[in-house]
Amino acid sequence: MNTKAIARYGLLTAMMLILGFLESRIPVAMAIPGVKLGLANAVLLYALYLMGGKSALILMVLKVVLSGLSFSGLSAMMYSAAGSALSLALMVLLKKIKGFSVLGVSVVGAVGHNVGQLAVACLITGSWAPMAQLPLLLASAVLTGIATGLAARLTVKHLGGGNI
């Protein structure tokens, strides 16, 4: 890996960590645990579309581990890892399907993140009770996925990476 690539990974990782930290300070919906804006996902979408799936995977792992160690702890890291892994896997697959825009990929990624986290909650509790949150989380995922997809599209456009 060359110096330019290392600098790019460092910059994008820092951006995701800062966005994740700022997002944790925004009270989106206190009544619905787990609802987040997903701002760092715009950076992940940028990486997926302009750098490829392998680079997006590296950035996702860096974000999960570093934000977990820095801000949230091991328990939250498990939830984040499950949600992020499912989200990225779905986004990589859908990106390859003709007809899916970055908005569609982003929305499915947001939905996947919520489903992955709820799956871990079900495993930990040994109950399906956490799935009661699914309808609210899916509705918020659609809205935040659209916002994140638009942010990614604008970022790529303004950084000269073309249209996605």
Side-chain angles (χ1 to χ4, degrees), residues 42-80:
V43 178
L44 200 60
L45 283 165
Y46 167 88
L48 177 61
Y49 276 85
L50 296 182
M51 298 167 64
K54 182 180 175 184
S55 294
L57 176 62
I58 291 168
L59 287 167
M60 186 228 25
V61 170
L62 287 169
K63 194 241 183 223
V64 167
V65 171
L66 293 174
S67 65
L69 293 174
S70 300
F71 309 124
S72 58
L74 187 59
S75 174
M77 198 185 311
M78 282 188 332
Y79 288 99
S80 180

Side-chain angles (χ1 to χ4, degrees), residues 4-93:
K4 185 177 178 179
I6 292 170
R8 186 180 225 184
Y9 280 111
L11 178 63
L12 293 175
T13 301
M15 287 173 62
M16 289 193 311
L17 290 172
I18 290 167
L19 289 171
F21 177 76
L22 291 174
E23 178 179 276
S24 72
R25 302 295 181 236
I26 300 170
V28 177
M30 295 297 216
I32 308 169
V35 172
K36 291 176 122 184
L37 295 173
L39 299 173
N41 200 42
V43 178
L44 200 60
L45 283 165
Y46 167 88
L48 177 61
Y49 276 85
L50 296 182
M51 298 167 64
K54 182 180 175 184
S55 294
L57 176 62
I58 291 168
L59 287 167
M60 186 228 25
V61 170
L62 287 169
K63 194 241 183 223
V64 167
V65 171
L66 293 174
S67 65
L69 293 174
S70 300
F71 309 124
S72 58
L74 187 59
S75 174
M77 198 185 311
M78 282 188 332
Y79 288 99
S80 180
S84 296
L86 181 56
S87 173
L88 184 59
L90 292 170
M91 290 191 304
V92 167
L93 289 173

Side-chain angles (χ1 to χ4, degrees), residues 144-160:
T144 60
I146 290 170
T148 302
L150 289 171
R153 182 188 289 166
L154 289 171
T155 301
V156 169
K157 179 181 176 185
H158 290 294
L159 292 178

Side-chain angles (χ1 to χ4, degrees), residues 107-143:
V107 168
V108 171
V111 167
H113 198 278
N114 286 327
V115 170
Q117 289 186 321
L118 285 175
V120 168
C122 289
L123 287 172
I124 289 173
T125 63
S127 164
W128 288 99
M131 286 296 175
Q133 288 184 274
L134 189 60
L136 291 172
L137 290 175
L138 292 181
S140 72
V142 170
L143 297 174

